[in-house]
Amino acid sequence: MITFENVTKTYGDKRAVDNLSMTIEDGQIFSFLGPNGAGKTTSIKLMTGIVAPDSGTIKLDGIDIAKDPMEAKRRFGFVPDTFDMYERLTGRDYLRFMGDIYGVGKEQRKAHIEKYLSLFSLEDAYDQQIRSYSHGMKQKLAIIGALMHDPSIWILDEPMVGLDPQSVFMLKEEMRAHADKGRTVFFSTHVLDVAERLCDQIGIIKQGQLIAKGTLEQLRGEGDGTLEELFLELVEKGE
């Protein structure tokens, strides 16, 4: 479960996140949508402890990330929209490093790596230096590393950018399986048809404020439009 309680973050005179309150329940895939500059990435940085809020509280599985950051961070795996890696490491070295950070045991580590290397077709690149990887291969490696410790919460910022169609399909299957275990998947995306087909709940943010949250049916009300049509209608209101 993820909970935001009256969270605000300001950069200079711009309020990037404005009194944001929302709860993402266990067992759900939650898609966080919004136009560029709406506050999506700032919300994720707040949730993961990369930046601190000016006010408000964020809890992950009931743990306040400001009061107990180490325990809260053990609860999630995070795949950012951009990533910096130690590119002179091989894929093997990188995943060993991630396993050590999270204290993952030998058998769990081995099973995880074998499963995801096969799933994302990275076996042949495992012992190559990361600097030889394409963007999509780095994205796959980042996903494998972030999920090494089998966290209860997955936080994914534009996770499908750069992935080939087969890998996108596999990732969506894994996200669904994770939520079906009673865990939480939070991801941001600009690909609205993916969000429409995959997600249990949708949140839309605009100018730092949550303007809509619910299932697609709840957001539609009496209408029957697509998520794209609904999104455009909501974000353009008042502009």
Side-chain angles (χ1 to χ4, degrees), residues 110-123:
K110 181 175 183 291
H112 176 88
I113 290 172
E114 288 180 353
K115 172 185 175 180
Y116 283 98
L117 285 180
S118 175
L119 198 70
F120 291 127
S121 302
L122 275 184
E123 301 101 323

Side-chain angles (χ1 to χ4, degrees), residues 2 24 28-33 40 44 47 79 154-160 171-172 175 184-203:
I2 302 168
I24 296 94
Q28 292 185 351
I29 300 177
F30 179 84
S31 181
F32 201 42
L33 310 177
K40 299 188 303 298
I44 290 173
M47 190 191 328
V79 179
W154 291 8
I155 302 170
L156 312 169
D157 194 1
E158 296 287 351
M160 297 162 193
L171 179 58
K172 290 189 293 185
M175 291 165 68
T184 308
V185 178
F186 181 110
F187 86 108
S188 71
T189 183
H190 287 297
V191 186
L192 298 184
D193 59 340
V194 170
E196 182 170 358
R197 293 195 305 269
L198 184 62
C199 294
D200 304 300
Q201 290 268 331
I202 295 163

Side-chain angles (χ1 to χ4, degrees), residues 156-172:
L156 312 169
D157 194 1
E158 296 287 351
M160 297 162 193
V161 174
L163 295 183
D164 56 84
Q166 181 180 9
S167 296
V168 169
F169 176 80
M170 294 299 182
L171 179 58
K172 290 189 293 185

Side-chain angles (χ1 to χ4, degrees), residues 66-237:
K67 293 180 178 178
D68 195 353
M70 292 303 293
E71 184 58 33
K73 289 177 181 181
R74 290 189 183 98
R75 303 296 173 133
F76 67 79
F78 174 44
V79 179
D81 62 338
T82 59
F83 41 85
D84 295 314
M85 292 178 161
Y86 301 106
E87 295 205 340
R88 291 186 181 275
L89 295 180
T90 64
R92 182 187 298 273
D93 293 334
Y94 176 79
L95 294 181
R96 182 183 295 137
F97 171 65
M98 295 299 290
D100 289 345
I101 285 177
Y102 287 114
V104 180
K106 182 178 178 180
E107 291 304 314
Q108 180 183 342
R109 186 181 312 195
K110 181 175 183 291
H112 176 88
I113 290 172
E114 288 180 353
K115 172 185 175 180
Y116 283 98
L117 285 180
S118 175
L119 198 70
F120 291 127
S121 302
L122 275 184
E123 301 101 323
D124 293 342
Y126 190 35
D127 286 309
Q128 297 174 10
Q129 287 187 322
I130 296 171
R131 62 181 176 176
S132 71
Y133 285 21
S134 67
H135 176 84
M137 292 166 68
K138 290 177 183 178
Q139 182 79 348
K140 293 174 187 179
L141 191 67
I143 292 169
I144 297 171
L147 306 183
M148 176 74 72
H149 58 306
D150 192 25
S152 62
I153 298 170
W154 291 8
I155 302 170
L156 312 169
D157 194 1
E158 296 287 351
M160 297 162 193
V161 174
L163 295 183
D164 56 84
Q166 181 180 9
S167 296
V168 169
F169 176 80
M170 294 299 182
L171 179 58
K172 290 189 293 185
E173 291 286 294
E174 289 298 300
M175 291 165 68
R176 182 74 269 163
H178 190 74
D180 287 346
K181 292 177 184 175
R183 300 179 178 185
T184 308
V185 178
F186 181 110
F187 86 108
S188 71
T189 183
H190 287 297
V191 186
L192 298 184
D193 59 340
V194 170
E196 182 170 358
R197 293 195 305 269
L198 184 62
C199 294
D200 304 300
Q201 290 268 331
I202 295 163
I204 300 175
I205 189 171
K206 174 186 173 185
Q207 296 178 348
Q209 296 182 334
L210 190 70
I211 60 172
K213 180 178 179 293
T215 65
L216 182 57
E217 289 72 22
Q218 288 170 338
L219 297 184
R220 280 174 174 157
E222 299 299 320
D224 59 356
T226 67
L227 177 58
E228 182 178 32
E229 292 167 339
L230 178 63
F231 175 82
L232 292 173
E233 177 185 349
L234 288 169
V235 300
E236 289 174 1
K237 275 185 178 178

